[in-house]
Structure formats: C-alpha cells, structure tokens
Amino acid sequence: MSNSEFEELFQKVCNWGKWGPDDEKGTLNYIKPEFISRAAALVRSGRSVSMSRPINTRSSVGNPNPAIHHMTMGYDLNLSDSQPQFVSDYLGCECHGDAHSHFDALCHVAYNGKLYNGKPLSTVNTQGAKFMDINVSANGIVGRGVLLDIPRLRGVKWLEPGEYVTTRDLEEAERSEGVRLGEGDIFVFRTGHYRRLQELGPWDPDYSGEGTAGLHPTTMILLHERKVSAFLPDGDGDTVPMNVQGVRYPIHALQISSMGMACGDSLQLEDVARVCEELKRWEFMVVVAPLRLQGGTGSLVNPIAIF
Amino acid sequence: MSNSEFEELFQKVCNWGKWGPDDEKGTLNYIKPEFISRAAALVRSGRSVSMSRPINTRSSVGNPNPAIHHMTMGYDLNLSDSQPQFVSDYLGCECHGDAHSHFDALCHVAYNGKLYNGKPLSTVNTQGAKFMDINVSANGIVGRGVLLDIPRLRGVKWLEPGEYVTTRDLEEAERSEGVRLGEGDIFVFRTGHYRRLQELGPWDPDYSGEGTAGLHPTTMILLHERKVSAFLPDGDGDTVPMNVQGVRYPIHALQISSMGMACGDSLQLEDVARVCEELKRWEFMVVVAPLRLQGGTGSLVNPIAIF
Amino acid sequence: MSNSEFEELFQKVCNWGKWGPDDEKGTLNYIKPEFISRAAALVRSGRSVSMSRPINTRSSVGNPNPAIHHMTMGYDLNLSDSQPQFVSDYLGCECHGDAHSHFDALCHVAYNGKLYNGKPLSTVNTQGAKFMDINVSANGIVGRGVLLDIPRLRGVKWLEPGEYVTTRDLEEAERSEGVRLGEGDIFVFRTGHYRRLQELGPWDPDYSGEGTAGLHPTTMILLHERKVSAFLPDGDGDTVPMNVQGVRYPIHALQISSMGMACGDSLQLEDVARVCEELKRWEFMVVVAPLRLQGGTGSLVNPIAIF
Amino acid sequence: MSNSEFEELFQKVCNWGKWGPDDEKGTLNYIKPEFISRAAALVRSGRSVSMSRPINTRSSVGNPNPAIHHMTMGYDLNLSDSQPQFVSDYLGCECHGDAHSHFDALCHVAYNGKLYNGKPLSTVNTQGAKFMDINVSANGIVGRGVLLDIPRLRGVKWLEPGEYVTTRDLEEAERSEGVRLGEGDIFVFRTGHYRRLQELGPWDPDYSGEGTAGLHPTTMILLHERKVSAFLPDGDGDTVPMNVQGVRYPIHALQISSMGMACGDSLQLEDVARVCEELKRWEFMVVVAPLRLQGGTGSLVNPIAIF
C-alpha cells in the first residue's frame, strides 16, 4: 500500500470532530445505554471468562520488559502480638508491550504529529497525558462482545506470524458464526496468538523478528462503517510486517489516531473461544475495567466475557 | 469482646471444609450461574460506574507506599522514520494498604497460624502463594451488588474514624433502601470514607492514628447466614480501633481466614451511591476483574457497578 | 537579589567553553592527576567514613518518594537439592530529591533553556540524557575533600532552615579549621542538616515548607576563584527560601548550569565531622563512585572520606 | 570432588568464631588501618578506573532481570515561572544476578542451614537481614587491590565458560606480574568475562546454560592462608559447572558462608587490566562503596581502582 493510499484510508475512517472538538472518548461514544442493557441480556448461562493472559515476570524474546512481582511481607514476621497476620506483595509493569494483556488510552498513539481529534503531542509530557488518558475509561467499557475466530474459520490452530486477515475473512467469520458486528459492539479478534505462544514458546512479534498475525489495514473500513466501539485482539491487531509505505503498525495509527478506537492488546482468547464453541454462540457481554491511572497511557486489564 | 468470645465467633462463621479440603474459592462458591444471569437482568438503564479510587502516587499519612507512575517513552523520540509514534508508561504499586482500591486473595490473611480452609502458612513464601492466590478469581467476580449506605441511613456525610456499624444498622439500611442481602450477593458497604478523604484530606486510618469506621465483628453472623459471597467496602471493613482482646483487624480474620470471603479494600463508593440515590435502587450488577497475578496476594482493581 | 544581579553572577562564574565546546566534565577538569596523588597522601590513619545517609524507605514530609526495598528470594525456598542457598533483594529509588544521598549529573539542571556549556534541552529526552549523564563520572570522583563545618564555627548543633552561609563564613571556617579550599578540591559543606533530621524528625525542606539552610549565591564567586572541583553538602547547597527575583534554587543554577560543578546532594556529614574533630584535621581523601547509569541524571552514592 | 571432601574444605577455611560470636565483618577484619594507608601510598599516577559494568536495562539470556531506568521529570515541564528547570530519573534493579556489578552482603549465602559465623537463616526475613546486611560495609571497603589477570597469563582473550583456575595458576599469575596477595588484600580476579560479553554477546552463565569461568574450590585454601580480605571477580568467582557432589556454586559457599569474605560480583575488569598493563603494575588502591541499604543482601556498586 502506498503512503498516499494509506493517507486516504486514514481520512476515510477518521472520526476527528465527530463528537466535538474536546471529545476524548472516540468510538466509545457509539455505546448507547440501551446497548449495555442489551449486552447484559446476553447473560443467560451465568459463565464468566477471563480474556487476559497471566502476568508474565519472565523475560524472553517476546517479553523484554518483564513485570516484577515481589512479596513485600511474608508470614515470617511477627509484627505484633496480635492476630491476625498478613502478607503483601508489589507489582510493577510496563503498561504496553507484546506480553501483557493491557488496554491503550487514546493518547498512546500519534500519527503525523497529531493525536486523535487533532490534539497536539504536547498534551503528553513526562508527567503523563493531560487528555485522553486511560482514566477516560474509568467507568469501564461495557457492551456486546462479538468474537470473530479466524483460526476456527480457517480450520487451523493459529495464524502464522505475518498472516493477515481481510474484510472478506471477517465477513465469512460472521457468517460462519451467525453473528454480525454492529453499532457499539466490541470486536473480539482471535488469531490464536496465545495458543501459539503456549505450544511453541516465545518469539519476537516485532519488525525485528518473526512478526505477528493481524488485520489488513483495509478492514478498518468495515469497523468504521459498522460503528464498532472497541477492539480486543489477542495480538495487537497489527500484522507485522505489513507493507505500507513509510508506516509501521498501520492498524494502530488508524484505530487509535484516526478513529479514536478503544483498543486492548495482547489478550488471551483461548478460553473465551472454547466457551463460544461449547455454547455455539459468539456474542456475549464484555466488561473491561482499566485501572484508574490518571495521566496513564494504558493499563493492565483482565477483560471479562460473560455468557 | 474477650478473646474466647472472638474465637467462638470465628468458629460460628467458619467455612473450612464446607466446599472440600482443597477449596480455594470460599464464599465465591455461593455464586451460582443463575445468580449471575439474575444480576445481569438488573442492567436496565445501561449505566456503568467505577467503584475505584484514582491510583495515588502522592505519599501522605494515609499513603505511605505511593504508587509509582513513570512515562517510559514520550513523543520526544523519533524511533524510526516511520509513522506512527507511541508513548508508554510504567505502573508500580503495593497490592494492599489503605490508599489504593484493591482486592484481597484468600492467602492474604492468616489467623492462629492457619489460612482459610486450614492451609498452612508455608503455602506462601517469598515467591508468592501456592494456593488461594488472586489468580483464583481470574474469571472475575460477577454477581448482584447490594449497597448498604450507612451515612445515608444516619443522615451524615460519613462515619467518623472509630465508628462501627452493627447488624441492626445493616438491617435498617436494608429496610430503608428496600433491599435484602441474600445468597451469592456482593455486599457493597459504604461508610463515606472516600468523601471524608476528599473533604478533609488524608489521615492515618491505622491503629497508629485516628482509625477507620467499619463493621462490628458480630455483623459477620449476618453475612454468614445470608451466604454473602463477596465484600466491597470503602474502608477495609474493619473498625479501627476495635476492642477485641488480642485481635487487631478482627473483620479481616473473620472474613478472610474463617469465612473465606472475597474482599475488596479501599474502594470509592461515592459515585455508585449517587447513582443509587438517583435511580432509587441499591442493587446492581457488579464485575470485579483482578489482574491475573499468579502467586499474588491481591490486585489493584477497578470494580464496576452496572445499572 | 534582583534578577539582573543574578544574571551577572551567572556570567561571572560561568565556565561555558572553558574546556572546549564538547566538554561534559565541567569543574572536574580541575582535578589533575597530581591532586589525586596528593589527596591519597592524606591517608595516614587508615580510617574510612561514609558520607551517605541510610537509604530511606519510609515516606515522610521530607521523603515523598521513598525507596522501595523488596526481598525477592528468601531462605524459605528450596530451589534445588543442592547447597548453598541464596537470598536476594531489589532496590528502586528516585535518583534525586531531598531524602537520599545522591550525586547530580550536569544534565540535571538547566537555566534559561540551556544546560551547562550551552547544550540544548533536547539532549535530554524520555530515554535519558545524551550528554553530561552521570556516566561521565564513571571512573569516580577522587580528590582532596575539605570540610567546612559551619555549625562548629557558629557553636550550634545545626543551621536552621532558611539560614544562609556567606563567603565570610566560609573564610572564617577555613581559618578556624586551618584549611584552605584550593584548586581541584572537593568542598564538603556541613550545615548539620542530618543531625537536625535525626533529632527533630522530618520536615519539608522545600519552598512549600520550612526550607533548608545553605549557601548564599555570592559564595559561588569564592568557589569559582578557588577552582573547586566538586561539592558535597548535607542539604543540597541551596538556602530555601532564598530571595532571588525569579529564581528558585539559585545555587543549583550557578553550580550546575553555569559552572558545571559536580554536586552531591543530601549527604550525611555527622560521622565525617566527628572524625575531623577527633583527628583535628578537616582535609581527607574523598572517593565518590556514582553507579554507571548511562543516560542517567544522577545516582545514589555512598561517598567515602578516608583519613 | 566428593561431598565429604567439600565439607572438609569448608571446615579448613572456616572463620566462624575467629572474630567473636557476633562478628559481622568476616575477612574485612583483616584490613588494618595501616593497610589502608599503605594502599593509599600506591596512588602515584593519579588515575582512577571504574571496575563496574554499565547498568543493563536490556533483558537477555544473561540478564533475565533487567534494571529499569525511567525519566521521572523532563525538560518538557514548566513547573513554575521560576528558573532553573530540573530533570530527574528512577532506577530499579535486582541487587544480585549475573548482569550487574554488585557487592554481596554476608547474609546472601547460607550453607547447610547456617549463615557465616553460624547465624541461623531466621535472621533474614521478608523485611531484610537483621545481621550481616550490606550496611555492615557502610564505611566502604578500602585497601590494596591485586589483580591476577588469568587471560594475560594464558595468552588468551578470555577464559571459556566452564574453564577453571587453580592455585598454581594464581601463583603463576603472581610471579608473572611481580605481585603477591597478602594479608588484608583485595583480590581482583580477571577471567575476561566482560570482554567475552562485549565481543560475543550474552550467554547463559548458569547451570542451565554454557556456564562461567571461575576458580577451583581448592584455591580457597590459598586465599585463606594469605588472609585475603575481599574478592572482586568479573564473573562471580564460581566455575559453572563445577563438579562438587551435591554443591552448586561451591565458591559462594566457601567464601561467603565459611570464610565470611566480602565479595563483589559481575565486575568489569577490562579497563583496570589495561591500565595495569600500561603501568606495568598490578597493585593499586581500591575503594568499594556499597549503598547504605539497611537490611540489604547486596548493593549495586562501582568499585574504583586508583593508581
């Protein structure tokens, strides 16, 4: 894809100004209260499923910034004569990367020197983001999740690094599962990334390594037209490498900078895919609850699917 | 309360062995799938509300272990010629304490040298907990939340440090709100702690300071009889100081060690109380999604109430 | 002091260009090899003394960013059948502030949009400093230390916050101690800050609080004329508050931005003062060994005085 | 080596009780004041050299726990109208491992359930070490350093992983360099580890990987007889793998648990070796200044050699 084709695509799906010049919520604006009620109405079997990976404290080629988890108080202390005793711990972690399930704030990505809605880069400094931080989603992202399970569609265990998914694939997955992504929906996108990780071990998912399976940039048109509100992939959505002139991670640029779409990253969709298969339905209630980190560019999350 | 009276209370509400010798879920066992569906059916107005405080990076008398939030990559870099640009950050935080909204794993509290279900202290070491870690709640805690709003009942802005709430108070709050805590319910308990914090500034909520408003130990009988599954207070549930011979934090001992109850800590219930008042209903769907920290004794959380 | 008087002072003591346009060492250039040998010749009694405070993990009004110290492995593990066993820990700490003994890199302070030697602010970004980082002092700062002990001169336990020290005071301290600050010397400057801390407990040493005892800006002329190479104070050198129009922390601006002087901060000089008194000599060998943190703006240090 | 031969060796070099039942300093007791003066007298050319590696923030097979270095304040802020401006950063790091130059406290290693001097394991808990912490060396380790440069002796760039050095090698290195390790000396031991790292890139220095070059356990007899006070190796002293029945890291057990020897770890000795070669002398003054971390099991350090 040439750079000018990409620019055209960027404009085509762009939501700048759509919800006013000061909007910080982007496509989350698509979620109307009635959609939340409708999503809750999908809860019939009373099962809830994590869409998060375990937090990873081991460094590897795919986890160069491992989380630190330290016990800060153990049962070896006798702090006072009084019962009870307590233990405590500490967690430190980079909020992004390819190893931890997290959620991106809209301030996380800029394109051509601008953030979503045309905000300048200077709204983010070493003390954090003044606008479009992760705290914008403080009240949680609640809605109907629709899983499009591409490995299921293709009859494979997972997509290989570098494989990409087209609009046609997404539409076929919809047909095959009997669902249709619609206004306000949360698009749960499975490539089988985490299954591959478990079976083959870590690899470098970046341009420096084998890469990742993901979406083709043109699929953003579908997401835009359907008014999808949020995106929960098991990779980060991007296909790596993707041949767009002068643009690495085009999906990030399109989703976050242009569309203002609330995006998860590095989820674990094996469990939810299994439950969908078992219940033969690929729609469910989703609740994502980012930590309330003011000024934060993202947050570790454990998104929950409820059936 | 004498120590032997406390021991008697500990035995009376004890759930050890109730769900088998290897049970790690405690009162979460009360949440049957149909309760989750019923909780979802409460979602009628499509509003979701955070029950978490903002993460607090400023040390104070009430926040001796402030979180660290560092920008790790800013828009001052030009990592490659290629678009887009990214920013990233890092969060480090103690998983317990009195300043951050968090959730306790059952391994967090021991009494008389035993954890819930009689597990030995040696199941927790400097590498974390082998049983009853926070990952037990990986799939989220989903159910009906019932807010008992004591300041509302008493016509005050908040309870003062050291004030305690009795079974009778809880029953009166139920009557006043037209709700009743029942099997599998998530008990959301408001003392107005966070409002006091916002209006008066930080204080030392511990035995070393002014203390905290909370429950009287005997209220645990009600929670036990009603088969409450989880507890979400705006303090930590305990009244400090509480006069139990040889026992500080008796509520922690009773809830976590004896009953095996899933407990939040240091929530922010001002927003949810306002919405309850507005909608004139004090029941709602609750989703708590602890981070998947294997071996962890707790997790920062942002519990979501959905109306 | 008016702003223009300050600007004049800034120019008067300015070393920009003195050691070439690419110099990153500033006044450390004054330390000639023979000065190091001469400093070593002062070692006659074979006593070494720490000039560092203990690392402080407790937050207080004077320590808003406490260090974190976590045991990461304890003797409760049995990692293998093989002997021996190991324990390990983790230290995390802000490299500056008023609570931890540390050393400043020259990139730490800018004045009027310029770093020492006229380098632009853009040489420091969210990945660290490209020039004048703490690694410039990788080989250590070694030289003759001269302690000017002002509380001793004034016959007090410590200087009170806000008290300042003039050129005349310094000269009198020299006379009283029989020493003279000269070329390449490391100026060890005691106000008794740490003794006050130990006896009275923490206070806010900043403009927001009671302040700090320190130097008067005009003392920089003496340091400049004498060709002092480095500065080791028990506060941070600055008097807070100091009445310079439009300039807070004028000493930092003068020492680091204008003179390019290697500066310690928040040392503990009680032990070294006691040894000086005992030996009746206020000169000794000094070794400061900042950690080799590439891109770092400072480092925790434990400067050693050797007699 | 059989286990009983090792036990015999452990007893042979054992210093328990030698300096009293409460001694926490071990072989540092060998450094008499006159040795410090004599070490200082070696300073003739006025050159100081770092024996530390740069702090390593990149994870690799040899650095599974990378340091974190975060800018916490940048020049993008305008905190007040007043000059000057400041930048600041944060360093977090594991105090041990194979990637960072650090110093071990005597509490770091136990053998057969005992620490040096027979202290029980219970003196170390999740709040740190009550005895023999790194703060014991608060006043620095100052003395005569003697570099035995084994690659120089053997005419190679470095020793290969798994290669070990015998007493005879040490004695030959002494002869070849014209030095002799004596009472109170700091033994600087070069295998060329860091040069190999720079030329070949990271490898796994552990039993799980290729291993490390180091000493043969029997060399401890020489160190014991010569009354060496401290040890500064570029690996960690141990040869990995080393065939001692039931004992991994026998050097750690012998040096730290049995002898109570102050040990550095993972130093960078390329620079100091170059200077020794240039000056044709392999003895120099050494100053190691561990951070004053109370309860700490070790500290990052930047040991300085002064010629």
Side-chain angles (χ1 to χ4, degrees), chain D residues 5 16 25 43 49 51 57 68 75 77 86 97 105 126 133 145 150 159 169 180 182 184 203 242 286 293 296 298 306:
Chain D
E5 284 167 325
W16 296 14
K25 298 185 72 176
V43 178
V49 181
M51 296 190 284
T57 58
I68 59 172
Y75 284 126
L77 305 179
F86 299 88
T126 48
D133 65 356
I150 310 304
L159 305 196
D169 293 324
R180 186 183 155 86
W203 72 93
M242 171 54 67
V286 165
L293 181 55
I306 316 172

Side-chain angles (χ1 to χ4, degrees), chain A residues 32-34 36-38 40-41 43-55 57 66 68-76 80-97 101 106-113 115 121-122 124-129 135 137-142 246-250 252-253 257 268 271 285 287-307, chain B residues 32-34 36-38 40-41 43-55 57 66 68-76 80-97 101 106-113 115 121-122 124-129 135 137-142 246-250 252-253 257 268 271 285 287-307:
Chain A
K32 295 180 195 150
E34 58 263 37
I36 292 179
S37 311
R38 239 181 273 162
V43 177
R44 294 186 302 261
S45 60
R47 288 175 72 168
S48 68
V49 181
S50 169
M51 295 189 286
S52 168
R53 307 180 187 182
I55 287 175
T57 58
I68 59 172
H69 176 221
H70 299 151
M71 294 297 289
T72 53
M73 191 159 59
Y75 284 126
D76 51 12
S80 73
D81 292 343
S82 164
Q83 293 291 343
Q85 289 176 275
F86 298 88
V87 293
S88 190
D89 50 5
Y90 180 96
L91 175 65
C93 195
E94 194 80 19
C95 299
H96 296 277
S101 298
L106 293 188
C107 64
H108 172 55
V109 183
Y111 185 76
N112 266 343
L115 301 175
L121 302 186
S122 59
V124 181
N125 66 22
T126 48
Q127 300 313 283
N135 203 36
S137 303
N139 289 322
I141 293 152
V142 184
V247 182
R248 286 177 167 203
Y249 308 104
H252 274 78
S257 310
Q268 174 273 115
D271 293 347
M285 185 185 194
V287 178
V288 190
L291 297 176
R292 297 196 58 175
L293 182 55
Q294 288 176 313
T297 77
S299 171
L300 296 187
V301 287
N302 179 6
I304 304 293
I306 316 171
F307 292 87
Chain B
K32 295 181 195 149
E34 57 263 37
I36 292 180
S37 312
R38 240 181 273 162
V43 178
R44 294 187 301 261
S45 60
R47 288 176 72 169
S48 68
V49 181
S50 169
M51 296 189 285
S52 168
R53 308 181 187 182
I55 287 175
T57 57
I68 58 171
H69 177 219
H70 298 150
M71 294 297 289
T72 53
M73 190 159 60
Y75 284 126
D76 50 13
S80 74
D81 292 344
S82 164
Q83 294 290 342
Q85 289 176 277
F86 298 88
V87 292
S88 190
D89 49 6
Y90 181 96
L91 175 65
C93 195
E94 194 80 18
C95 299
H96 295 276
S101 299
L106 293 188
C107 65
H108 171 54
V109 183
Y111 184 76
N112 266 343
L115 301 174
L121 302 186
S122 59
V124 181
N125 65 23
T126 48
Q127 301 313 284
N135 204 36
S137 302
N139 289 322
I141 292 152
V142 184
V247 182
R248 286 176 167 204
Y249 307 105
H252 274 78
S257 310
Q268 174 273 115
D271 293 348
M285 186 185 193
V287 179
V288 190
L291 298 176
R292 297 196 59 176
L293 181 55
Q294 288 176 313
T297 76
S299 171
L300 296 187
V301 286
N302 179 5
I304 304 293
I306 316 170
F307 292 86

Side-chain angles (χ1 to χ4, degrees), chain D residues 285-306:
Chain D
M285 185 185 195
V286 165
V287 178
V288 190
L291 298 176
R292 297 195 59 174
L293 181 55
Q294 289 176 313
T297 77
S299 171
L300 296 187
V301 286
N302 179 6
I304 303 293
I306 316 172

Side-chain angles (χ1 to χ4, degrees), chain D residues 33-302:
Chain D
E34 59 263 37
F35 296 169
I36 292 181
S37 312
R38 238 181 275 161
L42 294 169
V43 178
R44 297 187 299 263
S45 61
R47 287 176 73 169
S48 68
V49 181
S50 169
M51 296 190 284
S52 169
R53 309 182 187 180
I55 288 176
N56 191 344
T57 58
R58 303 208 167 211
S59 64
S60 71
V61 64
N63 189 19
N65 299 306
I68 59 172
H69 176 220
H70 298 152
M71 294 297 289
T72 54
M73 192 159 58
Y75 284 126
D76 51 12
L77 305 179
N78 216 341
L79 289 177
S80 73
D81 292 343
S82 163
Q83 293 291 342
Q85 288 177 275
F86 299 88
V87 293
S88 189
D89 49 6
Y90 180 97
L91 174 66
C93 195
E94 194 79 22
C95 299
H96 296 276
D98 302 308
H100 295 99
S101 298
H102 65 273
F103 211 80
D104 293 344
L106 292 188
C107 65
H108 171 54
V109 182
Y111 184 75
N112 265 345
K114 294 280 185 195
L115 301 174
Y116 165 70
N117 224 0
K119 291 289 177 197
L121 302 186
S122 59
T123 56
V124 181
N125 66 22
T126 48
Q127 301 314 283
K130 282 181 216 111
F131 296 100
M132 304 190 293
D133 65 356
I134 193 67
N135 203 37
V136 166
S137 303
N139 288 323
I141 293 151
V142 184
R144 181 176 83 134
V146 172
L147 171 66
L148 298 185
D149 185 340
I150 310 304
R152 179 180 179 276
L153 177 73
R154 298 195 182 165
V156 296
K157 284 159 83 171
W158 53 71
L159 305 196
E160 288 298 333
E163 267 191 83
Y164 61 81
V165 171
T166 64
T167 301
R168 191 172 173 157
D169 293 324
L170 297 180
E171 289 168 339
E172 283 182 13
E174 287 184 328
R175 269 190 296 275
S176 140
E177 299 173 0
V179 288
R180 186 183 155 86
L181 270 175
E183 189 175 351
D185 279 350
I186 296 166
F187 172 22
V188 184
F189 173 60
R190 179 170 178 260
T191 65
H193 189 110
Y194 192 68
R195 180 164 179 193
R196 191 175 193 273
L197 203 57
Q198 285 183 295
E199 295 197 14
L200 303 188
W203 72 93
D204 178 355
D206 224 319
Y207 278 83
S208 48
E210 292 116 304
T212 329
L215 293 168
H216 191 273
T218 49
T219 57
M220 290 304 107
I221 298 171
L222 181 84
L223 270 56
H224 184 63
E225 288 172 352
R226 298 283 188 84
K227 301 187 176 171
V228 164
S229 69
F231 180 58
L232 295 180
D234 55 0
D236 64 4
D238 260 294
T239 308
V240 174
M242 171 54 67
N243 186 20
V244 178
Q245 192 193 357
V247 181
R248 287 175 167 203
Y249 307 104
I251 299 295
H252 275 78
L254 295 168
Q255 285 187 316
I256 297 183
S257 309
S258 176
M259 304 166 82
M261 183 172 285
C263 291
D265 194 323
S266 304
L267 302 181
Q268 174 274 114
L269 302 177
E270 302 314 302
D271 293 348
V272 75
R274 209 157 20 238
V275 174
C276 287
E277 195 67 52
E278 201 180 319
L279 302 178
K280 293 292 177 219
R281 60 163 162 129
W282 284 265
E283 56 168 7
F284 39 85
M285 185 185 195
V286 165
V287 178
V288 190
L291 298 176
R292 297 195 59 174
L293 181 55
Q294 289 176 313
T297 77
S299 171
L300 296 187
V301 286
N302 179 6

